[in-house]
Amino acid sequence: MNTTTQEPEVRRVASRQAGFTLIELIMVIVILGILAAVAVPKFTDLSGEAEVAAANGVFAGAQSAASTNFAANRAGKNLPLITDATKLTDAMDGIPTGWTVSGNNLSYAGKATTYTITVAAETATTRATLTKTGF
């Protein structure tokens, strides 16, 4: 086989395949568009889920503070009883940004709903009972 006759043919094939065809580029753009259309709604939904998760975290922290306060009082420490939301936030060492206290309620106005934690007073024999709404 003569190598001198094959060399020009190899150069011609290589020069014809130097880039992508228009149809290949269009297909890539279409696939990226489909992926973006599927992904964007999922990411916008995550903000709502994150807000609910954060509110549940505050509720869990409030329950923990109420239990700790009750246990400490039963063990002989004379901590103030949790009788309202202000005493609850004192037991929690403050409240997260955006939460407000009003009477027996600890509230956060979210994007779509208002999250409220209601305090039923602690006594010497029962722990403060917390209920949540809007979660």
Side-chain angles (χ1 to χ4, degrees):
M1 206 185 274
N2 188 355
T3 57
T4 57
T5 58
Q6 285 183 344
E7 192 174 311
E9 184 178 321
V10 171
R11 276 193 213 135
R12 270 186 275 144
V13 171
S15 67
R16 280 187 272 150
Q17 295 183 0
F20 296 105
T21 64
L22 182 59
I23 192 71
E24 290 172 330
L25 293 174
I26 289 172
M27 290 306 296
V28 168
I29 291 170
V30 167
I31 290 170
L32 289 175
I34 291 169
L35 290 173
V38 170
V40 168
K42 181 61 182 166
F43 287 130
T44 57
D45 188 42
L46 288 178
S47 64
E49 291 176 16
E51 191 174 83
V52 171
N56 278 322
V58 172
F59 181 72
Q63 285 184 316
S64 178
S67 293
T68 302
N69 195 74
F70 179 70
N73 281 331
R74 295 286 289 189
K77 294 190 175 196
N78 290 315
L79 298 176
L81 297 177
I82 296 175
T83 55
D84 58 20
T86 301
K87 295 278 175 45
L88 175 63
T89 59
D90 291 344
M92 292 172 65
D93 292 329
I95 56 174
T97 304
W99 287 78
T100 58
V101 175
S102 176
N104 288 343
N105 295 326
L106 182 61
S107 301
Y108 176 76
K111 292 178 183 175
T113 187
T114 299
Y115 305 98
T116 304
I117 300 170
T118 304
V119 179
E122 174 183 8
T123 67
T125 58
T126 61
R127 180 180 74 86
T129 305
L130 308 178
T131 55
K132 61 182 182 176
T133 56
F135 291 73

